[in-house]
Amino acid sequence: MGTAEKPSTRRPAIQLNVKTILNQIQPHAGFVFQDIRLHGRHGQPERIEISVRAHEGMQRRCSQCQRPAPGYDELRERAWRHVPLWGIAVWFHDAPRRVECPEHGVVVEDIPWSEGKRRLPAAMMGFLARWARRLSWRETAEAFQVSWEAVYRSVAWFVAWGLAHRALKGVESIGVDEIHWGRGLRASNFLTVIYQIGAHCRRLLWVGPGRSQRTLHQGLKAVGPEVVKGLRFVCSDMWKPYLDIIAAQAGEALHVLDRFHITLHLHQAVDHVRRAESVRLRAAGQAAAEQLKHTRWSLLRRSSRVRGRARQKLNALLASKLRTARAWELKEVFSHFWKYRSLTWAGAFLDYWCYRAMRSRIEPMKRVARMLRAHEELLLNWFRA
Ligand SMILES: [Zn+2]
């Protein structure tokens, strides 16, 4: 790698070189790692460039059928982003050739680390997809300096590969969710995900762009009609296109509006109240505005989990007559809903809660109450499930 610096002590018996590592973890039959260079700026390493070349005597293969085919011409050099080493970005460089396949005509040769026109080699996509299970997609993109879209494509590829290579058996419950990214509410800022809900796990089954009926339709098709027929429970948010498609396609399954989504709506409502009130108080120059400062996270956590200084602050806020305090109380009270065992009592509680929320004169809370009432049946399915 680059020019070796003269070691100050005696040379160790074995010099490890990046080529050795690559040949061990990423051997590509018929290709050699020709040249590896470290580029940097102002003394900081920036990227490692690895030129890959095909063996001279090597038969090229058609990318469509993987059968040997005679060479045709050479394309411009391309670069593929690879798995980083020591946090330094790694790029593969190669000038792919085109071959003349008896069956497929003039096509790009088969390149083992690349699939079709993808910019990321399979190893990199696997790497990103695995990290995306532990970090958020945004964090994954930041940590490895790739775009959010590269992470999404890697996850989608990984999941599609999984779907094609395993039989989905015994999937009884799925969840349908949307993921928002970037700014704005355009359809292209949303993804739809379908995941299996097991006793202890959530396994991603499918991910696709958009959040329309068509998106979910495609997703359920990819998961397979066999699986959809066998579903017993489907959890989802109250997004209308999802509700319609689930009712039409998985009519046999009980559709449940899950706890996660309801809690999310309540949190958003409390946060909305807090922000609006904070702006109003500050504009009026009222001292009470101070009480709302830095309370966002304590307000959203479950009450029993707020401790120490944050607890004192929260208590003081709750003793006030602020709207935020009343909204918070409504949110906290709602958590009892999930503890009921009986459908009747749960229904009665829901009535009581909605009545209180409607009388609170706090618009965001009233909105949640209206939404819950409109979907009461689906919500109560939680207890039937
Ligand atoms: Zn071919």
Side-chain angles (χ1 to χ4, degrees):
M1 199 169 114
T3 49
E5 272 177 39
K6 222 174 202 164
S8 52
T9 52
R10 212 185 303 164
R11 276 174 159 263
I14 301 166
Q15 289 280 310
L16 178 64
N17 161 346
V18 175
K19 252 183 226 186
T20 315
I21 302 177
L22 284 166
N23 279 321
Q24 298 236 343
I25 61 165
Q26 190 88 112
H28 295 306
F31 290 81
V32 287
F33 299 109
Q34 195 183 38
D35 189 34
I36 302 172
R37 283 170 196 279
L38 177 64
H39 296 265
R41 222 196 309 173
H42 311 306
Q44 290 291 318
E46 245 183 3
R47 64 183 196 284
I48 296 170
E49 285 184 6
I50 302 169
S51 331
V52 191
R53 292 285 173 264
H55 269 304
E56 281 312 315
M58 172 72 187
Q59 269 273 39
R60 315 240 181 271
R61 286 166 188 279
C62 163
S63 56
Q64 306 288 308
C65 60
Q66 273 81 39
R67 279 199 293 262
Y72 182 79
D73 61 358
E74 191 175 288
L75 299 173
R76 261 196 318 154
E77 189 175 270
R78 267 181 64 185
W80 289 262
R81 186 71 188 270
H82 215 288
V83 182
L85 284 172
W86 299 285
I88 309 167
V90 173
W91 291 86
F92 266 28
H93 286 259
D94 180 37
R97 273 139 300 251
R98 290 198 296 174
V99 295
E100 195 165 13
C101 174
E103 198 187 329
H104 298 98
V106 175
V107 292
V108 181
E109 69 175 324
D110 182 51
I111 305 168
W113 61 88
S114 168
E115 228 184 82
K117 287 201 160 59
R118 292 179 201 286
R119 295 286 309 277
L120 295 172
M124 180 60 166
M125 290 200 283
F127 176 82
L128 290 176
R130 260 180 242 118
W131 274 104
R133 281 161 70 170
R134 290 169 180 83
L135 306 173
S136 77
W137 293 6
R138 199 176 297 281
E139 285 167 329
T140 308
E142 275 165 17
F144 302 108
Q145 294 159 46
V146 293
S147 66
W148 194 93
E149 197 173 352
V151 178
Y152 153 61
R153 290 201 182 288
S154 302
V155 173
W157 169 83
F158 202 68
V159 170
W161 188 90
L163 211 53
H165 288 80
R166 68 177 177 227
L168 287 179
K169 275 203 193 113
V171 178
E172 289 194 334
S173 311
I174 60 163
V176 177
D177 211 344
E178 60 183 34
I179 295 183
H180 178 245
W181 65 288
R183 290 175 185 279
L185 297 174
R186 278 174 299 135
S188 57
N189 287 126
F190 288 92
L191 298 175
T192 296
V193 293
I194 300 176
Y195 48 89
Q196 176 186 0
I197 304 171
H200 307 288
C201 70
R202 282 186 164 209
R203 183 169 68 157
L204 196 55
L205 295 179
W206 185 82
V207 50
R211 58 163 178 172
S212 63
Q213 291 200 354
R214 220 181 95 225
T215 314
L216 184 54
H217 196 80
Q218 279 171 352
L220 292 176
K221 202 170 143 196
V223 172
E226 288 297 296
V227 173
V228 175
K229 238 186 285 163
L231 287 177
R232 292 184 55 216
F233 305 110
V234 179
C235 288
S236 85
D237 195 5
M238 277 166 261
W239 176 241
K240 187 84 169 49
Y242 289 168
L243 298 182
D244 294 347
I245 279 285
I246 291 168
Q249 297 233 338
E252 299 288 297
L254 265 180
H255 186 191
V256 184
L257 292 169
D258 66 59
R259 181 173 182 166
F260 172 78
H261 286 111
I262 307 287
T263 309
L264 194 68
H265 283 286
L266 283 166
H267 281 176
Q268 281 168 348
V270 171
D271 205 38
H272 195 104
V273 176
R274 179 191 62 82
R275 268 183 292 146
E277 189 161 49
S278 178
V279 169
R280 192 166 52 79
L281 292 175
R282 258 184 288 142
Q286 292 198 23
E290 277 301 305
Q291 282 196 300
L292 288 177
K293 257 192 184 170
H294 311 301
T295 54
R296 177 158 193 240
W297 295 113
S298 357
L299 283 169
L300 298 188
R301 298 191 86 172
R302 210 181 298 161
S303 170
S304 57
R305 298 218 182 124
V306 183
R307 302 208 170 93
R309 283 256 293 279
R311 179 81 239 176
Q312 289 170 9
K313 195 151 185 192
L314 184 62
N315 285 345
L317 171 64
L318 299 180
S320 73
K321 294 269 186 294
L322 293 179
R323 283 163 159 250
T324 308
R326 287 190 291 130
W328 178 88
E329 205 246 320
L330 277 168
K331 175 211 85 167
E332 256 331 91
V333 166
F334 194 85
S335 63
H336 292 293
F337 176 69
W338 309 107
K339 293 184 192 142
Y340 285 98
R341 294 261 168 266
S342 124
L343 185 64
T344 319
W345 285 109
F349 176 85
L350 192 63
D351 276 347
Y352 158 77
W353 191 89
C354 289
Y355 171 78
R356 277 195 54 191
M358 291 311 283
R359 293 200 30 166
S360 70
R361 283 178 292 165
I362 303 172
E363 190 46 42
M365 301 315 279
K366 283 165 75 174
R367 230 171 8 235
V368 174
R370 278 195 291 269
M371 184 182 70
L372 294 179
R373 267 193 183 153
H375 297 102
E376 194 171 336
E377 276 307 302
L378 294 181
L379 192 56
L380 290 173
N381 272 344
W382 169 272
F383 300 94
R384 296 188 184 105

